[in-house]
Amino acid sequence: MRRLLAVPLTIALLVGVATPVYADAESNASDVIVRLTNNIREGEGKSELAVKSGLTGVADRWSEKQLVRVVAAWEKYLAGGTLSVPLEHNPNYSSQIPSGWTSAGENVGWACGYSSAKEAAKAIERAWKNSPAHLENILGGYTHIGVGFAFDTETGCAFSTQNFGKYAKSSAVLAASTSRFSDVTKKTAGYSAIMWLADEGLVSGYKDGTFRPGTKVTRRQLAGIMYKLAGSPSVSLPSKSPFSDLKKSDPAYRAIVWLESTDLVSGYKDGTFRPGSKVTRRQLAGILYKFAGSPSVSLPSKSPYSDLKKSDPGYRAIVWLESTDLVSGYKDGTYRAGLKVTRRQLAGVLYRYAG
């Protein structure tokens, strides 16, 4: 069943320097739509749709093709013309998706004037949810989904396609989890926080498709995450690196310079930053405390943890972190300030911090 949609233009066009669009940004946006779609189904007591690459491929190709037309129409509109965006379904989708289906459907939609692929994806999904006809497809008796998403950074325009299919359980196409990571399932501790972190574009997995929840977080990685959490603000890059062990070609150079310029972190006495060093619970507490604006905190007369002295340099930040329920100590009454933070733990703290 085909459904057409044009997203209402409720967000003003953001004008600025155009940045390249990367495939992973579009992939992240597609993942967001898949998760939001399954959230809607879960709320209505419907079974989760599994992602099928054959459906995704067809949806991707159609979205890329239609985005060209959307961008052209939007640019004409910005130049003073009438807004007339062509919106078409793929007339051959049912024959292009993997065979074996007993029912199939398609939703298409566009949005323009958004500052990121993720925000455009959320807007399109919201509009689908609020449209009875599109919602009918989302809540349909399908088993699989494929989402195509194309985004143009210069205009903030996006086009997305949802292909749905119902396949027998014995079908060879029945596969795939909606989790973005091969080592993360719904039974994984911290699942919701990890998926939120990924959906927000704050972190990505490894090239082998894993997230590695138990891996320790490096200072480089944390810098990148905090920079994105702050909205990737503009930063004046110095002609010379502020740290002797940080090259300007480092992938996190901008984030680390920003982190240092805002006094969220500082380097070591020897002039190094040590981007590969692992982040401790004490360091994370200090960074989050400063990131929150160094709020006032009532310091107890006795330390809340048996291994945390009131003279500890991170005492105020750790007490604040504990008072806001962002972290808790261990069952034995310790905090273990020097313990290294894992990717799972960081996901949980930031998920709670974001509310």
Side-chain angles (χ1 to χ4, degrees):
M1 186 178 297
R2 299 177 182 177
R3 304 296 183 195
L4 296 169
L5 176 70
V7 175
L9 304 175
T10 57
I11 292 185
L13 179 65
L14 301 179
V15 180
V17 179
T19 55
V21 60
Y22 296 100
D24 60 347
E26 293 181 342
S27 177
N28 289 344
S30 296
D31 290 334
V32 168
I33 288 178
V34 171
R35 283 185 52 73
L36 291 176
T37 296
N38 275 324
N39 286 344
I40 294 172
R41 289 178 63 87
E42 182 179 6
E44 295 296 326
K46 303 289 185 178
S47 60
E48 181 179 276
L49 297 175
V51 175
K52 174 58 187 170
S53 60
L55 293 170
T56 301
V58 174
D60 265 332
R61 288 189 291 273
W62 187 251
S63 296
E64 291 288 348
K65 180 179 179 180
Q66 294 304 305
L67 178 64
V68 176
R69 304 178 67 189
V70 171
V71 169
W74 182 251
E75 290 178 335
K76 181 179 179 180
Y77 167 70
L78 293 179
T82 302
L83 181 60
S84 178
V85 178
L87 190 64
E88 294 184 7
H89 272 282
N90 177 359
N92 301 311
Y93 83 93
S94 60
S95 61
Q96 294 171 350
I97 63 176
S99 60
W101 54 268
T102 55
S103 62
E106 182 182 74
N107 281 343
V108 296
W110 65 271
C112 281
Y114 287 82
S115 59
S116 70
K118 182 184 68 178
E119 293 306 314
K122 290 180 178 180
I124 292 174
E125 181 69 19
R126 282 196 301 269
W128 278 335
K129 180 181 179 181
N130 293 326
S131 166
H134 294 87
L135 185 61
E136 182 181 344
N137 265 345
I138 290 174
L139 298 177
Y142 304 113
T143 58
H144 288 72
I145 188 175
V147 174
F149 190 89
F151 184 71
D152 177 70
T153 55
E154 292 189 17
T155 58
C157 289
F159 192 97
S160 185
T161 305
Q162 286 182 315
N163 283 152
F164 302 92
K166 181 179 181 180
Y167 294 89
K169 291 184 178 180
S170 59
S171 173
V173 300
L174 194 61
S177 164
T178 54
S179 173
R180 291 187 55 193
F181 309 109
S182 60
D183 59 343
V184 176
T185 69
K186 283 191 171 182
K187 295 182 179 180
T188 301
Y191 173 79
S192 295
I194 292 170
M195 290 298 102
W196 170 82
L197 205 68
D199 285 349
E200 291 297 311
L202 299 178
V203 71
S204 59
Y206 292 86
K207 291 182 179 180
D208 63 358
T210 61
F211 179 79
R212 306 180 193 176
T215 298
K216 305 300 189 296
V217 178
T218 66
R219 285 164 61 85
R220 175 187 288 111
Q221 292 170 335
L222 183 60
I225 291 171
M226 297 306 296
Y227 178 64
K228 292 176 182 176
L229 188 63
S232 301
S234 61
V235 55
S236 178
L237 298 178
S239 58
K240 182 181 178 181
S241 173
F243 303 107
S244 60
D245 62 341
L246 180 67
K247 295 182 179 181
K248 294 176 68 176
S249 58
D250 191 290
Y253 182 71
R254 179 180 295 273
I256 293 173
V257 168
W258 170 80
L259 209 65
E260 188 268 346
S261 68
T262 54
D263 294 323
L264 291 180
V265 298
S266 58
Y268 291 86
K269 292 181 179 180
D270 62 0
T272 61
F273 181 79
R274 305 179 194 177
S277 292
K278 305 302 188 293
V279 177
T280 67
R281 284 164 62 85
R282 176 187 290 111
Q283 293 169 334
L284 179 60
I287 291 173
L288 284 176
Y289 178 64
K290 293 177 181 177
F291 188 80
S294 300
S296 60
V297 55
S298 177
L299 298 178
S301 58
K302 181 181 178 181
S303 173
Y305 303 107
S306 61
D307 62 340
L308 180 67
K309 296 181 179 181
K310 295 177 67 176
S311 59
D312 189 291
Y315 183 71
R316 179 179 293 273
I318 292 171
V319 168
W320 169 78
L321 209 63
E322 188 266 347
S323 69
T324 55
D325 292 324
L326 293 180
V327 298
S328 59
Y330 290 84
K331 292 181 179 180
D332 62 0
T334 61
Y335 180 77
R336 307 180 195 179
L339 204 63
K340 305 300 189 296
V341 178
T342 67
R343 286 164 64 85
R344 177 192 285 112
Q345 291 170 334
L346 178 62
V349 172
L350 295 182
Y351 182 56
R352 291 188 289 274
Y353 176 82

